[in-house]
Amino acid sequence: MEHLQAYRAAGGGKHRANRLFGTNLLNRRLLVAAAVLFVTAVASSESKAQSGPFAPLAGSWSGVGTVTLDDGSTERIRCRAKYAPVGPTLEMSLTCASDAYKFNLGANVKAEGGAIVGNWSETSRNISGSLQGKGSGGTYELVASAAGFNASISLRTSGNKQSVRMRADSQFRGADISLSK
């Protein structure tokens, strides 16, 4: 019994297991506080993203579609899109792939009134150019241009569904894609 009293006295009157529990409780409280701060920051940034002409696009989307090549052949593709709107600007990426075909399209655009202007790049083929068009509220009509390449892009968003239609005058003739959140 004396040994137990000496042990407790050496530990400042606390049993070692109680000290660990207190440390775990403190760590848990710190983690909860950090999580609350993180969620608050994300909610704040999302509320900023939810205002502006590109708000209906915000977030990650995925789906399927078809790509048409210049020989008339079509392939089924799987796609992922990410849209990050902030006020009148939008940063987006669209990656689509099949067993034999892949493209990575990225763009940065800005809405000025009803007009949309910006730049795009397709990294797997190392081409880039300008984007121009019009739209708001989830419906956009754009033209992507580069040296020797022109494509029309139609994007329509309604709730958690989105359709993307691209038509081009090159080896890549077009794509029809259906996405959802």
Side-chain angles (χ1 to χ4, degrees):
M1 188 74 158
E2 281 180 42
H3 179 62
L4 184 58
Q5 288 175 344
Y7 175 77
R8 286 186 179 156
K14 295 182 180 176
H15 190 271
R16 186 177 74 142
N18 289 341
R19 282 197 313 265
L20 287 177
F21 176 76
T23 303
N24 285 339
L25 184 60
L26 178 62
N27 287 341
R28 204 173 318 145
R29 285 182 181 164
L30 288 173
L31 285 173
V32 169
V36 168
L37 286 174
F38 176 74
V39 169
T40 303
V42 168
S44 171
S45 68
E46 285 184 10
S47 69
K48 289 179 186 173
Q50 297 305 319
S51 64
F54 302 112
L57 302 177
S60 295
W61 300 71
S62 62
V64 296
T66 57
V67 63
T68 304
L69 303 176
D70 62 348
D71 65 1
S73 65
T74 61
E75 291 189 37
R76 293 194 53 77
I77 53 176
R78 296 168 309 281
C79 301
R80 289 184 325 267
K82 290 184 182 180
Y83 301 99
V86 177
T89 65
L90 173 72
E91 185 176 314
M92 64 84 57
S93 66
L94 173 67
T95 301
C96 295
S98 70
D99 290 337
Y101 192 82
K102 182 176 182 175
F103 65 89
N104 296 304
L105 181 65
N108 291 296
V109 296
K110 181 176 184 176
E112 297 173 350
I116 299 171
V117 295
N119 298 303
W120 65 274
S121 65
E122 202 289 316
T123 57
S124 62
R125 286 163 187 75
N126 198 27
I127 59 173
S128 60
S130 64
L131 272 171
Q132 296 181 61
K134 62 183 178 175
S136 65
T139 302
Y140 309 91
E141 300 292 331
L142 304 165
V143 174
S145 301
F149 177 82
N150 287 303
S152 63
I153 303 168
S154 176
L155 190 136
R156 303 206 188 296
T157 302
S158 179
N160 66 347
K161 300 289 182 191
Q162 184 178 98
S163 65
V164 180
R165 180 174 209 154
M166 292 184 243
R167 296 292 174 255
D169 59 1
S170 67
Q171 175 187 1
F172 166 80
R173 290 289 179 200
D176 291 293
I177 305 164
S178 296
L179 303 170
S180 60
K181 274 190 178 180

